[in-house]
Amino acid sequence: MVNTQLFQTLRGTLMPTANALNEAGGAAFLPSPKHQLAQLAATGCLNNTFYTKAESQLDTVLSLASEVDPVFVAKTAVYARRAGHMKDMPALLAASLAQRDVGLLTQVFGRVIDNGKMLRNFVQMLRSGAVGRKSLGTRPKKLVQQWLLSATEAQLLNASVGTTPSLADVVKMVHPKPAEAWRAAWFAWLIGRPYDTAALPPLTQSFERYKRDRAAEVPDVPFQMLTALDLDTQAWARIAERGSWQMVRQNLNTFARHGVLALPGVADAVAAKLRDPQAVAKARVLPYQLMAAYTAAGPEVPTVVKEALQDAMELALANVPQFAGRVVVCPDVSGSMGSPVTGYRKGATTAVRCIDVAALVAAAVLRKNADARVLPFETKVVSLQLNPRDSVMTNASKLAAIGGGGTACSAPLALLNQEKARADLVVLVSDNESWADTARGRSTATMQEWAQFKSRNPAARLVCIDIQPCATTQAQERADVLNIGGFSDEVFTLLALYAAGGLGADHWVGVIEETAI
């Protein structure tokens, strides 16, 4: 008699076979090389994470970049920078194009290498030899020269902050030939060569003047250039007043420590800047960065400033959609989600964890969809009551406080199946390293539970959001399953498009394919 455990009669869509193991050793699906590259570009940080070493990420990205066509690499670099607000990955993809297709690099350079930090990243990655060359080469060198010769004084000053390489190193490397007297004097000033003081541009002149005389006006230069000087509270107040939105957000505790926020009117001015809609949009702030600033704000930071961060969060999440039908959002709160979202980097590890980002996504969806159901999970669903009227920060903090346990991405689906529940959209937010659930066959437990759920909810859709660098997924991409990666507000844009049926068969990869170069 035939073994009916091996040859069961299947109902519904044919169950896909898992074709890979994830980093935790669990059964998983390995998407197409294009999808893998897109996933890594949107989440990869080139740092050590809970499961992945930085070197492994680098090798994987470079291997995928050489496997897919260079046009897709260029589009992914633009997408990861412009929509995903990533830094290291777009620079790495641009550097890989310098080796593979310098013509394409020329086309996308300005949209990927869009500030001095990105320029220095690009140069360092090329000269390291990691992408197959240890020199810039003629065309990349000209692109770097063009950036230096077209940047404003303010852009050059901002680019001069940082090392490995420093902007001075870059200038010495590419030897730009400026036509303007001010630029020639500025480059000489930067690299420590003789220069005509009178020819220096205004901001740099004011900086040199302030170094000689503290009674002079505090110059409007990057504050890192000033912190080595002996500054009083009023000087710090001028820095706070003039600082960029991101700079102010990152230095609230510093300003409080120097007594700036206790000065009359300053806290209100800082709060007004932080909650300004245009400033928030221009800053391209990641929602999790606001959460980081809010949780890190010490007791000396006034309440009005902390409330402004919450207002800024609401603005940053303006494109969180309101969905039609019943919504279930499932944040992963397992032990591995306690790792830093952008990985471990000596001296620069973020305090924001993967669980914070997952909680933030769930709380944001709940904020716009008051009847949404939130099912935090590890090996099982964790019971937690949330008030949809509470702020995103409040609910995200409650979710992030759970933490611990193994990972079973199928757990919330299994609970929904036990309850014979109905829903139109299910959103899983995880690092996808599921290992504690047991599949009954050759597919993943997540896909098996989803198949059962679909038998009761034929029009339902599943979205799996990956917030850590990982090439594998728990649910195979198909018409009713979308796998996306990242932690910018672009995730919500794609979520809305997909839920409304606005993404085609290629889903997320299709969005990147449509990126203009």
Side-chain angles (χ1 to χ4, degrees):
M1 182 178 177
V2 69
N3 186 335
T4 56
Q5 293 299 311
L6 289 176
F7 301 99
Q8 295 182 50
T9 301
L10 297 178
R11 295 181 179 180
T13 306
L14 188 66
M15 191 67 63
T17 300
N19 60 354
L21 295 178
N22 60 29
E23 299 291 343
F29 298 100
L30 193 64
S32 70
K34 284 186 175 181
H35 193 115
Q36 292 177 56
L37 183 64
Q39 197 98 334
L40 289 167
T43 62
C45 45
L46 298 178
N47 295 323
N48 294 332
T49 66
F50 191 89
Y51 287 108
T52 310
K53 295 294 185 184
E55 295 80 5
S56 175
Q57 286 185 57
L58 175 61
D59 292 343
T60 301
V61 171
L62 291 178
S63 175
L64 290 168
S66 66
E67 185 175 352
V68 306
D69 65 90
V71 173
F72 186 78
V73 175
K75 290 182 175 183
T76 303
V78 172
Y79 180 87
R81 180 62 184 151
R82 308 307 293 180
H85 312 325
M86 300 297 284
K87 298 173 185 175
D88 290 354
M89 281 297 180
L92 177 61
L93 294 178
S96 75
L97 287 173
Q99 175 72 3
R100 189 174 177 195
D101 193 324
V102 75
L104 276 173
L105 172 64
T106 302
Q107 288 181 255
V108 303
F109 188 84
R111 281 177 288 163
V112 178
I113 311 302
D114 57 1
N115 62 33
K117 169 66 173 172
M118 292 297 292
L119 185 80
R120 292 188 290 104
N121 284 350
F122 173 77
V123 170
Q124 178 60 23
M125 288 175 178
L126 269 185
R127 73 174 188 169
S128 71
V131 299
R133 60 193 301 169
K134 297 200 72 173
S135 64
L136 296 184
T138 302
R139 293 280 290 280
K141 181 178 178 180
K142 286 187 178 298
L143 290 171
V144 174
Q145 288 173 338
Q146 287 170 10
W147 192 94
L148 293 169
L149 294 174
S150 60
T152 65
E153 181 194 9
Q155 289 172 325
L156 290 170
L157 285 169
N158 283 321
S160 70
V161 175
T163 58
T164 321
S166 67
L167 190 65
D169 294 332
V170 175
V171 169
K172 292 174 184 177
M173 199 181 308
V174 303
H175 306 293
K177 302 292 189 291
E180 309 101 322
W182 76 262
R183 201 180 297 270
W186 194 90
F187 287 147
W189 169 83
L190 177 70
I191 63 178
R193 291 184 178 175
Y195 59 89
D196 179 3
T197 302
L200 284 175
L203 292 177
T204 309
Q205 281 200 31
S206 66
F207 174 63
E208 288 297 315
R209 187 162 50 249
Y210 188 73
K211 286 199 298 184
R212 295 190 301 269
D213 179 12
R214 293 295 186 278
E217 175 68 14
V218 179
D220 188 13
V221 297
F223 85 102
Q224 295 94 330
M225 296 174 64
L226 300 170
T227 52
L229 309 177
D230 185 19
L231 303 177
D232 59 20
T233 301
Q234 292 297 331
W236 275 104
R238 291 291 284 160
I239 292 172
E241 176 187 332
R242 291 173 169 176
S244 69
W245 191 95
Q246 285 281 28
M247 176 272 200
V248 171
R249 189 266 305 175
Q250 292 171 324
N251 290 278
L252 294 176
N253 288 330
T254 299
F255 295 144
R257 187 168 61 252
H258 288 280
V260 172
L261 299 179
L263 294 174
V266 174
D268 289 334
V270 168
K273 174 180 285 190
L274 290 173
R275 61 163 60 97
D276 178 64
Q278 292 183 335
V280 171
K282 184 179 178 181
R284 292 194 291 178
V285 60
L286 295 168
Y288 86 86
Q289 292 174 327
L290 283 162
M291 188 175 190
Y294 181 79
T295 56
E300 295 178 328
V301 176
T303 300
V304 67
V305 175
K306 294 178 181 178
E307 289 177 347
L309 288 171
Q310 296 204 56
D311 294 340
M313 175 68 82
E314 301 292 338
L315 292 169
L317 296 173
N319 63 346
V320 177
Q322 186 169 4
F323 301 109
R326 288 161 288 197
V327 180
V328 182
V329 57
C330 313
D332 182 350
V333 296
S334 63
S336 63
M337 295 288 284
S339 63
V341 69
T342 52
Y344 299 93
R345 178 180 289 178
K346 187 176 181 180
T349 298
T350 178
V352 181
R353 306 161 298 167
C354 294
I355 193 172
D356 296 317
V357 176
L360 183 58
V361 172
V365 171
L366 180 63
R367 177 76 174 189
K368 289 292 185 73
N369 302 267
D371 57 349
R373 188 175 180 187
V374 179
L375 298 178
F377 71 92
E378 20 109 338
T379 55
K380 63 183 184 303
V381 172
V382 180
S383 178
L384 180 68
Q385 292 297 317
L386 298 175
N387 183 351
R389 293 194 177 189
D390 282 343
S391 70
V392 171
M393 294 284 200
T394 299
N395 280 332
S397 298
K398 289 179 181 178
L399 283 164
I402 304 173
T407 308
C409 289
S410 62
L413 292 171
L415 177 65
L416 293 172
N417 285 330
Q418 290 169 19
E419 298 174 348
K420 294 184 167 40
R422 295 196 174 275
D424 301 285
L425 178 68
V426 179
V427 181
L428 288 175
V429 194
S430 174
D431 60 4
N432 267 338
E433 299 298 339
S434 192
W435 60 269
D437 39 10
T438 304
R440 301 175 302 279
R442 292 180 292 177
S443 191
T444 63
T446 300
M447 281 304 286
Q448 290 172 350
E449 295 292 350
W450 179 243
Q452 185 178 339
F453 185 84
K454 283 281 289 185
S455 68
R456 294 190 320 279
N457 301 272
R461 293 189 170 207
L462 174 65
V463 178
C464 301
I465 301 173
D466 189 349
I467 54 177
Q468 276 268 290
C470 175
T472 61
T473 64
Q474 283 299 296
Q476 188 181 58
E477 190 91 350
R478 62 188 199 187
D480 60 333
V481 177
L482 171 67
N483 287 287
I484 57 176
F487 33 77
S488 75
D489 58 351
E490 176 70 2
V491 167
F492 298 113
T493 301
L494 297 180
L495 196 57
L497 281 172
Y498 182 67
L503 291 184
D506 290 330
H507 299 324
W508 188 35
V509 170
V511 173
I512 296 175
E513 291 276 23
E514 292 174 3
T515 300
I517 60 171

